[in-house]
Amino acid sequence: MIDLTIDEGLAEVVLSAPEKLNSLDEAALAQLEGAYQEAEAAGVRALLLRGEGRGFCAGRDISGVIPADDDVLGYLGGKVTPLLHRMAQFPAPTFAAVQGACLGVGLGLAIATDVVYVAEDAKIGSPFASLGATLDSGGHALFVERLGVHRTLDLIYTAELISGSEAVAAGLFSRAVPADELVEFTREKAQRAASGATLAFRESKKLVAQIRDERIGLWESLDAENRAQAALCATEDYAEGFAAFQTKRRPTFKGH
């Protein structure tokens, strides 16, 4: 089950099936995509994704799955990948609070989020060796990019999980905080972004995606930055930011 609340420009999307560590079947994936669609249509200025209970998301809900009848490609390619695309392309800043298990599709949800804060004792990795399955939902790309080939295959072959603190030290995610502080810490950061210069954040999000996906270099990125800055120059938030700086007051950004 997926819950959505919207308050003062911040959407909070909650995976609320703690009894199964928020694992996701096709119905839950559809609900999650619907929550993102609703939040985007509402024009929210930031989004927080979190999970109830002991774990963020343990991955796919395989209870009742019969391997001989399992349409894995339909689930991953037809349901999960489009959802991750939508999440990654969400126009406003997105944040995730990750505690406990963050595995499989759950790891994919984190990868598709802009900023990920993890509990120090979160569990991240590829536990699939015992299932005869492989890491999915973007895990290979993330691990190879951040951990290198040897450490990636070490984690896959051994099925060992790393802690949130280890994941942050390795550059996988943003920051590790004590588990009992995680939700409020992440919510405060998301609320701050929601009241901030969201038009400028949107341009930075596009630029980062270009650098990552199109592999543009320094000079192309400089050109892209220049064009983004020129576009922002015509916005009310840009004028407000300059006026606030010049008069030594705090700016009030409205997202236009």
Side-chain angles (χ1 to χ4, degrees):
M1 184 174 179
I2 309 298
D3 297 325
L4 169 66
T5 59
I6 298 175
D7 183 35
E8 296 185 353
L10 175 64
E12 189 160 328
V13 179
V14 183
L15 313 178
S16 55
E19 70 283 356
K20 56 180 183 178
L21 293 179
N22 300 312
S23 55
L24 301 167
D25 57 16
E26 291 193 12
L29 289 175
Q31 289 178 22
L32 184 54
E33 184 165 8
Y36 273 71
Q37 289 174 334
E38 185 177 342
E40 183 173 347
V44 301
R45 300 179 63 190
L47 181 147
L48 164 62
L49 174 66
R50 65 178 182 87
E52 289 283 8
R54 296 182 296 112
F56 171 67
C57 176
R60 183 186 183 189
D61 182 0
I62 61 172
S63 60
V65 171
I66 301 172
D69 300 328
D70 188 16
D71 181 9
V72 174
L73 190 56
Y75 175 81
L76 291 174
K79 305 295 182 181
V80 174
T81 299
L83 170 63
L84 298 182
H85 271 290
R86 172 171 287 280
M87 292 175 62
Q89 294 166 1
F90 193 80
T94 59
F95 296 78
V98 171
Q99 84 284 8
C102 178
L103 309 170
V105 178
L107 178 61
L109 301 183
I111 294 170
T113 303
D114 296 340
V115 178
V116 180
Y117 299 130
V118 296
E120 293 169 340
D121 59 355
K123 297 299 180 185
I124 297 153
S126 175
F128 299 107
S130 60
L131 291 174
T134 191
L135 182 61
D136 56 45
S137 303
H140 284 88
L142 176 71
F143 283 3
V144 170
E145 178 183 301
R146 308 291 172 82
L147 303 178
V149 171
H150 297 289
R151 184 63 170 139
T152 295
L153 292 176
D154 178 13
L155 291 174
I156 290 171
Y157 294 166
T158 64
E160 293 175 0
L161 304 180
I162 60 176
S163 70
S165 295
E166 291 172 314
V168 169
L172 288 174
F173 298 123
S174 304
R175 302 190 219 182
V177 299
D180 60 352
E181 299 175 11
L182 176 66
V183 172
E184 284 307 313
F185 179 89
T186 309
R187 187 179 288 131
E188 189 275 329
K189 301 299 183 186
Q191 287 172 332
R192 184 185 302 180
S195 63
T198 46
L199 289 179
F201 297 158
R202 182 178 299 192
E203 293 300 326
S204 288
K205 185 167 180 171
K206 291 177 183 176
L207 285 164
V208 168
Q210 269 191 292
I211 294 167
R212 180 196 61 206
D213 299 336
E214 301 174 25
R215 303 295 179 184
I216 66 172
L218 172 62
W219 303 113
E220 294 99 330
S221 68
L222 277 171
D223 288 340
E225 288 171 345
N226 295 344
R227 291 192 296 273
Q229 201 73 287
L232 289 168
C233 185
T235 67
E236 293 180 22
D237 277 358
Y238 190 94
E240 165 64 10
F242 269 71
F245 179 83
Q246 291 164 345
T247 58
K248 297 181 172 57
R249 62 174 173 81
R250 184 170 182 168
T252 301
F253 294 115
K254 297 181 179 178
H256 49 74

